[in-house]
Amino acid sequence: MAGLGSALPARDGGGGKKKGGGSDKKGNKKQEDSEEGEDSDFTEGVDQKEVMQALSQLNGNKGLVSALQQKLDGLVGSSSGFVESLHYKVRARVEALGGLQETHDELFEAFLKEKRELDQRYRALYQPLYIKRAAIVKGEEDVEAIAEAGDLEEEAAAGDEAPSGIPDFWLMAMRNNETLEEQITERDDPALQHLVDITCSRLEGDQKGFILDFHFAQPNPYFSNAVLSKTYNMIDEEDPMLESVEGTEIQWLPGKNLCVKVLRKKPKKGAKNAKPITKTEQCESFFNFFSPPAIPEEEDDLEEEEAEALQDAMENDYEIGMMFKEKIIPDAVSWFTGEANQEDSDDEDYDDDDEDDVHQAVSRIQAIIRSRQAREQYLRLRKVTTSLQERIAARARGEDVMDGGDLEDYDNEDEDEDDHNDNDRVQKPSVA
């Protein structure tokens, strides 16, 4: 993300003799340079000691770091000599691939152009629908309504007339979205009840990005702005890469700022000033959305933790902006009714999928256990059957057989084994 880079840390320099020593012969020197991974054309005429001394001076010097960065940027795209070192037939094939790539890039540019034109054409077709939706929500336009059984009786019993438009339409739509619902506090609800429309438009001219406009009924008891805007300036919309974010400064009415809370502290007994001490501090509110994180200038230093926190804040802010642009505005009525929330859960509820996988695994384990238990029971039954067959055969031969002895021994053994298995089952933890 642009504007989030921090100063490059100084690198430890320090010269040293080359492995293998020097050589007066140019051929041997090139071979040694190649072994060291250096480009002889680059190092030729360069004083290594001076280079290391210059690098050691970069620590804390932003001007030198910036100058070095510009020099390094100038080297980007320059030939490394790799392609030139290939066999001439391989080079020819690489050049042929380069021609194919150029054709591909031209087609991709044409695709992006047609995509932008198609997007613009359909935005124009959507616009009348959004305007009509806003008129119905505000109560500027009404529709024919047919009362169902019981509606008239309920209305007569309540003694109230039908409200104008659709009250709390955008507030409910936002509340039904899990991401946005986390941004809205109970203190925000009364102010967001005055929200009558949300629109999105592309930036004009060569500018890349989009602007969200939140339209509020006027007058309202919280601020004097009729429209609160949030502008996302993009470096690249296809990638996407965010350059900066701007928000409207809210003109709060006295004592109505929802983004701060007032703390009052009673003065100590005997204090000269008997008035309560008051101070304000920032608090959670959806309206903080219009005060996006400030991106520092490139030369400003940021600690690693600060840079990561800023990066997370910018990504979260952009995610919310895209939520309005791609989901809430195009499908507002489904978010108001809650249908879109259900569809969104079906599409993205990977937790349920994981839970299903767990249940399937548990079922398989249980099936294996049942199969093992059935096999053990089969083996015990086979043992009993074999014992009975042997007794029958022995009696047929006229031999003396003790009745029930082996069976009683087996039963006791079986009972002991079952008790043992029961104890095992009690000790094993359950699988959730």
Side-chain angles (χ1 to χ4, degrees), residues 143-431:
V143 298
E144 183 181 357
I146 301 176
E148 297 181 359
D151 288 342
L152 296 178
E153 289 79 359
E154 292 180 4
E155 183 177 348
D160 297 330
E161 295 183 359
S164 175
I166 306 178
D168 304 341
F169 177 81
W170 290 101
L171 172 59
M172 291 299 298
M174 293 163 60
R175 279 286 192 185
N176 284 332
N177 180 277
E178 184 178 355
T179 300
L180 298 181
E181 201 273 338
E182 294 176 353
Q183 310 298 318
I184 302 172
T185 67
E186 291 184 5
R187 298 174 68 224
D188 296 328
D189 285 349
L192 289 174
Q193 287 176 343
H194 298 278
L195 179 60
V196 294
D197 197 15
I198 307 176
T199 59
C200 178
S201 58
R202 296 180 63 87
L203 298 182
E204 298 179 354
D206 295 333
Q207 300 180 86
K208 296 180 179 179
F210 60 94
I211 181 170
L212 298 171
D213 289 322
F214 296 74
H215 303 260
F216 287 84
Q218 288 295 323
N220 74 63
Y222 290 91
F223 44 81
S224 58
N225 309 71
V227 179
L228 299 180
S229 301
K230 188 73 174 285
T231 304
Y232 291 86
N233 299 293
M234 311 294 293
I235 297 175
D236 187 353
E237 292 180 289
E238 302 297 332
D239 198 8
M241 293 179 62
L242 184 63
E243 182 178 19
S244 62
V245 186
E246 303 169 8
T248 297
E249 182 179 354
I250 303 177
Q251 304 300 321
W252 295 103
L253 298 180
K256 296 295 185 177
N257 190 341
L258 298 174
C259 297
V260 298
K261 59 182 179 181
V262 180
L263 303 177
R264 292 181 174 86
K265 184 178 180 181
K266 293 182 179 180
K268 296 181 179 180
K269 292 182 178 180
K272 294 181 179 180
N273 189 359
K275 294 182 178 180
I277 301 173
T278 61
K279 68 175 183 177
T280 60
E281 64 179 30
Q282 290 293 122
C283 64
E284 294 183 356
S285 170
F286 168 77
F287 291 94
N288 287 321
F289 177 66
F290 300 98
S291 300
I295 301 179
E297 299 294 334
E298 290 188 2
E299 59 268 15
D300 290 349
D301 285 330
L302 280 179
E303 298 292 337
E304 183 177 355
E305 293 183 358
E306 295 175 333
E308 290 180 356
L310 178 59
Q311 181 78 19
D312 292 341
M314 293 298 295
E315 290 178 357
N316 182 63
D317 184 85
Y318 180 71
E319 178 186 354
I320 295 174
M322 290 299 293
M323 186 71 67
F324 280 110
K325 177 177 180 286
E326 301 291 340
K327 292 191 175 183
I328 303 299
I329 295 176
D331 201 14
V333 66
S334 296
W335 287 105
F336 173 77
T337 60
E339 295 176 6
N341 191 27
Q342 182 62 40
E343 294 174 0
D344 200 52
S345 298
D346 293 340
D347 292 339
E348 301 178 5
D349 198 357
Y350 52 85
D351 290 335
D352 287 347
D353 292 340
D354 291 344
E355 189 174 352
D356 291 341
D357 292 341
V358 172
H359 286 314
Q360 291 177 5
V362 171
S363 299
R364 291 182 60 188
I365 293 172
Q366 291 174 340
I368 293 172
I369 292 174
R370 286 194 297 269
S371 176
R372 182 176 178 181
Q373 291 174 342
R375 176 174 174 80
E376 291 174 351
Q377 185 176 7
Y378 165 74
L379 292 175
R380 289 197 297 268
L381 291 174
R382 191 173 68 174
K383 180 179 178 182
V384 173
T385 303
T386 303
S387 178
L388 289 174
Q389 289 176 344
E390 290 176 352
R391 290 182 181 184
I392 293 171
R395 285 181 177 177
R397 292 193 298 269
E399 299 175 358
D400 294 332
V401 178
M402 182 180 296
D403 293 334
D406 292 342
L407 288 176
E408 289 176 359
D409 293 341
Y410 164 77
D411 291 338
N412 292 333
E413 179 184 357
D414 184 43
E415 184 177 353
D416 292 339
E417 185 175 355
D418 286 343
D419 292 340
H420 179 69
N421 289 337
D422 288 340
N423 292 332
D424 286 346
R425 284 195 289 271
V426 171
Q427 294 173 359
K428 291 179 182 178
S430 61
V431 181

Side-chain angles (χ1 to χ4, degrees), residues 73-200:
D73 290 343
L75 295 176
V76 175
S78 59
S79 175
S80 63
F82 167 70
V83 176
E84 290 79 359
S85 67
L86 300 174
H87 190 281
Y88 75 94
K89 289 188 176 181
V90 178
R91 287 201 307 270
R93 295 164 190 152
V94 173
E95 291 175 2
L97 294 182
L100 295 176
Q101 186 65 49
E102 290 179 2
T103 304
H104 174 276
D105 293 343
E106 292 173 359
L107 291 173
F108 185 68
E109 287 297 325
F111 160 74
L112 293 180
K113 182 180 178 181
E114 290 187 19
K115 181 182 176 183
R116 287 190 290 268
E117 292 174 352
L118 190 65
D119 181 69
Q120 185 175 0
R121 181 159 67 91
Y122 273 88
R123 281 182 178 274
L125 296 175
Y126 294 149
Q127 199 60 30
L129 303 179
Y130 293 154
I131 293 174
K132 187 175 181 67
R133 179 179 68 186
I136 295 174
V137 170
K138 296 176 185 178
E140 298 172 350
E141 183 177 330
D142 210 346
V143 298
E144 183 181 357
I146 301 176
E148 297 181 359
D151 288 342
L152 296 178
E153 289 79 359
E154 292 180 4
E155 183 177 348
D160 297 330
E161 295 183 359
S164 175
I166 306 178
D168 304 341
F169 177 81
W170 290 101
L171 172 59
M172 291 299 298
M174 293 163 60
R175 279 286 192 185
N176 284 332
N177 180 277
E178 184 178 355
T179 300
L180 298 181
E181 201 273 338
E182 294 176 353
Q183 310 298 318
I184 302 172
T185 67
E186 291 184 5
R187 298 174 68 224
D188 296 328
D189 285 349
L192 289 174
Q193 287 176 343
H194 298 278
L195 179 60
V196 294
D197 197 15
I198 307 176
T199 59
C200 178

